[in-house]
Amino acid sequence: MSIYGGLAGVGEAGPQSIITINRGRADGIEVGHVLAVYARGGTVRDRSQPKSSKNALLHLPDERAGLVFVFRVFDRVSYALVMHVTRPIAPLDVVQTP
């Protein structure tokens, strides 16, 4: 996912912003679909494990950031309007079915 205006311009999107999704008609996206945007979960160190342990890093779950409405679809790319957010949407956030 990317934001209209690119990284050089605005680095976040809010309500009524337009985003680009790198999926399109070939992937089953259609005009009118409502998709959820998820912020990637971070990684934290488990302090109960030794630093050298393979299980010392924990991956946090993705956090839902908002909803988008798909209004234009091409074969490999789609455009969507941000309808609702709970936190700013950033480039490279994940878009998937709610």
Side-chain angles (χ1 to χ4, degrees), residues 1-7 10-21 37 67-72 74 77-83 85 89-91 95:
M1 185 205 83
S2 66
I3 298 171
Y4 181 73
L7 293 173
V10 177
E12 297 177 334
Q16 309 303 316
S17 297
I18 296 174
I19 63 168
T20 305
I21 305 169
V37 179
L67 294 172
V68 298
F69 174 78
V70 177
F71 67 88
R72 186 77 166 131
F74 297 97
V77 68
S78 302
Y79 292 99
L81 180 67
V82 177
M83 300 302 293
V85 293
I89 294 174
V95 179

Side-chain angles (χ1 to χ4, degrees), residues 20-52:
T20 305
I21 305 169
N22 64 347
R23 299 286 184 260
R25 192 173 294 114
D27 303 298
I29 303 292
E30 298 177 10
V31 172
H33 277 180
V34 175
L35 303 172
V37 179
Y38 291 87
R40 288 280 189 187
T43 304
V44 295
R45 190 172 78 77
D46 183 0
R47 295 187 184 272
S48 66
Q49 300 286 336
K51 286 185 182 180
S52 60

